[in-house]
Amino acid sequence: MDRKRAEEILSSPDVINVTYKGEQIYIEKIDDTKEIAYVHPLNQPTGSKEVPLGSLQEQ
């Protein structure tokens, strides 16, 4: 996923399905300088991790 689309999803009031390695995730924030996103699985709101933006998939 490119940075622009990730930012659109992050700011959208709608629920947009995004996955990381096949698992549905929530994008918490995006770091433009590193091209990474901070995400957590939908079922683990405290399990935040850094992932490359390119590894996110919109469903």
Side-chain angles (χ1 to χ4, degrees):
M1 175 177 299
D2 66 23
R3 182 184 50 80
K4 183 177 184 234
R5 182 61 183 143
E7 288 174 346
E8 290 171 354
I9 291 170
L10 182 60
S11 65
S12 175
D14 299 325
V15 175
I16 299 170
N17 292 325
V18 178
T19 60
Y20 172 69
K21 294 187 177 182
E23 184 174 30
Q24 286 194 320
I25 56 94
Y26 175 80
I27 301 173
E28 296 174 5
K29 67 180 182 176
I30 298 166
D31 185 329
D32 294 334
T33 60
K34 296 181 184 179
E35 290 291 315
I36 60 170
Y38 295 88
V39 305
H40 67 259
L42 290 182
N43 61 353
Q44 295 177 334
T46 59
S48 182
K49 59 184 162 186
E50 295 180 13
V51 299
L53 285 174
S55 64
L56 300 179
Q57 300 280 324
E58 184 175 357
Q59 300 298 306

